Amino acid sequence: MNNLKYYEDGLAYDFSMFSPAEKVAPKKKGKIIDIPEEQKKRALRRKRAASGLSGKISLILVTLFIIGTLSGNIFLRSQITATEYEISKMEKQITLAESKLASVNFEMEQKLSYNNLEEAATALGMRKLSKSQVVYIRINEENKAVLGEGELSAENN
């Protein structure tokens, strides 16, 4: 408020406060060009068409990504299943080979047993060593070893 006005005019009341405010035009910044309504509508239609197209493209890409991920998952699971099947086949072969090894070891032990060796020896005409076949040699001299040609090789004094 302007108090000087009250002093000079001598008015007790200022009724201008109750009057409607004047509209102040906004200040325009730079050059503002009004676009005709038709151009605005055309630009809006283009924008909507582009956003609709980009939405469809993004939906297609997301769908392809999900399908690719699921396909990769199914492929990897099939590979794992095939590998597990091969492992189980190999384990069966290992079990079979171990049982054959045990069978061969048992047969070998049967053939190499003491009773079988005795029977084979008697079939060949061999017999056990008797005390009459053992010859003991006593030498009263010092311990010595003689080579086949009669030379002295070592002495024990």
Side-chain angles (χ1 to χ4, degrees), residues 9-147:
D9 292 341
L11 296 174
Y13 298 104
D14 185 14
F15 292 108
S16 66
M17 290 176 47
F18 300 107
S19 65
E22 294 177 23
K23 290 186 179 178
V24 179
K27 294 182 181 178
K28 293 185 179 181
K29 297 179 181 177
K31 277 188 169 180
I32 296 178
I33 300 172
D34 289 330
I35 300 175
E37 284 296 317
E38 191 176 309
Q39 287 181 350
K40 285 182 183 179
K41 288 179 183 178
R42 196 177 331 155
L44 186 61
R45 272 187 265 134
R46 285 182 187 164
K47 190 175 182 181
R48 284 184 185 162
S51 67
L53 183 63
S54 67
K56 289 177 185 176
I57 290 174
S58 64
L59 179 65
I60 290 171
L61 289 177
V62 168
T63 305
L64 289 176
F65 176 74
I66 291 171
I67 290 172
T69 304
L70 291 176
S71 299
N73 191 359
I74 290 170
F75 175 75
L76 290 177
R77 287 183 186 268
S78 68
Q79 292 293 325
I80 289 171
T81 304
T83 305
E84 286 175 349
Y85 176 73
E86 292 294 323
I87 289 172
S88 68
K89 278 179 36 179
M90 292 296 166
E91 286 175 347
K92 287 178 183 176
Q93 289 179 354
I94 288 171
T95 305
L96 182 63
E98 287 175 346
S99 67
K100 284 183 181 179
L101 177 65
S103 172
V104 168
N105 283 338
F106 181 72
E107 287 179 26
M108 185 179 69
E109 287 174 7
Q110 288 286 330
K111 289 181 180 180
L112 295 179
S113 70
Y114 183 73
N115 292 334
N116 287 342
L117 288 177
E118 274 187 26
E119 289 175 11
T122 53
L124 292 173
M126 301 174 92
R127 50 191 167 116
K128 287 187 176 182
L129 185 67
S130 66
K131 290 186 178 182
S132 65
Q133 292 175 320
V134 178
V135 178
Y136 294 100
I137 302 173
R138 294 183 187 256
I139 301 176
N140 291 334
E141 297 177 12
E142 300 174 355
N143 294 336
K144 61 182 173 180
V146 180
L147 295 175

